[in-house]
Amino acid sequence: MGRIHVAVCETPLSCDAALAFLDDPGHGAVCTFIGKVRNTNLDKPVGGVSYDAFDALVVNTFRAIAEEVQARWGGELDVWLEHFKGRLDIGGISVVIAVGSGHREESFAACRYVIEEVKHRSPIWKQEHYLAGDSEWIPGHSLRDRPEPLPGG
Amino acid sequence: MTDTISLTMTLFGAFRPYTGGKTLCLTAPAGATLAQVRGLLERELRSRFPSFADAELLAVSAFADERQILDDDTVLADGAAVAVLPPICGG
């Protein structure tokens, strides 16, 4: 059975740790996705990003997503998934996803699946800090199934 | 059986500036559903923070415990810890 590692970290994420976790003679492919802080958003210069997370539920969703990967692409796949919590400067690593598999097709597909599911299911928030001095929480995907009409709507 | 229950609310993301990362204690009628608690929370936020201007954000926020997102008809127990989750944006 493949292995799963998931975590929310307040210390810098390590790609080397992910690759070490996936070191397996049975893996002919390891695919990684690394999310980083970009220096602009919608033409506004960005100086950094703060990430907030509801750790317990994030870890639960991470594990569920990783188990879905194994159910869909093979139980022998190893999955690494860590997300940062706290403030990062430009170029800082916000998320590391790595999947090891026998062949490349499975690890490519699984890696893409994991990041898309994280963005839609894991309670994590992003506050951008702009060089102009202001900050803004970035709008995202609602986890509420049945939204009530907005006030006045 | 008491007439009221006490809830511990933790607000995340864009709600953080109001609570400064601290939890917020909310009193609700015994047997209150999550839908009722949503209304009570909005009233509490308006009362505690006169500058509160995120009612629309609260309307699209999910409520959850440490295991799952909770439905609006969930009946909360005394002492329950509830997380308030505005729309998410990880990755």
Side-chain angles (χ1 to χ4, degrees), chain A residues 20-153:
Chain A
F21 179 80
L22 296 175
D23 187 19
D24 185 318
H27 289 160
V30 171
C31 189
T32 60
F33 173 83
I34 300 166
K36 299 176 67 180
V37 175
R38 192 177 57 235
N39 65 358
T40 60
N41 188 24
L42 300 175
D43 295 329
K44 292 185 73 172
V46 174
V49 170
S50 292
Y51 292 89
D52 190 13
F54 181 23
D55 297 27
L57 192 53
V58 168
V59 167
N60 282 350
T61 58
F62 279 7
R63 181 162 294 278
I65 292 166
E67 290 173 353
E68 289 161 15
V69 161
Q70 292 181 331
R72 186 165 172 177
W73 285 284
E76 75 282 4
L77 268 66
D78 290 333
V79 182
W80 174 281
L81 172 51
E82 286 190 343
H83 202 291
F84 183 78
K85 177 181 176 180
R87 179 160 177 155
L88 289 174
D89 294 329
I90 301 305
I93 297 175
S94 58
V95 59
V96 174
I97 299 166
V99 179
S101 61
H103 302 278
R104 67 185 182 281
E105 186 175 342
E106 292 84 357
S107 54
F108 267 122
C111 215
R112 178 65 186 264
Y113 177 83
V114 171
I115 185 59
E116 298 301 335
E117 293 300 305
V118 165
K119 283 181 170 291
H120 286 84
R121 293 163 58 182
S122 299
I124 299 168
W125 300 271
K126 183 188 299 184
Q127 183 186 33
E128 287 183 339
H129 307 292
Y130 303 107
L131 292 183
D134 55 329
S135 298
E136 183 179 342
W137 291 94
I138 303 303
H141 177 79
S142 176
L143 294 175
R144 192 170 184 213
D145 290 331
R146 293 166 292 176
E148 293 172 348
L150 295 179

Side-chain angles (χ1 to χ4, degrees), chain B residues 24-29 35-50 52 55 58:
Chain B
L24 187 152
C25 293
L26 194 67
T27 300
Q36 291 172 288
V37 169
R38 184 183 297 274
L40 292 172
L41 177 61
E42 180 180 342
R43 197 165 69 187
E44 184 72 14
L45 288 169
R46 289 185 186 280
S47 170
R48 289 196 189 202
F49 311 105
F52 180 71
L58 185 60

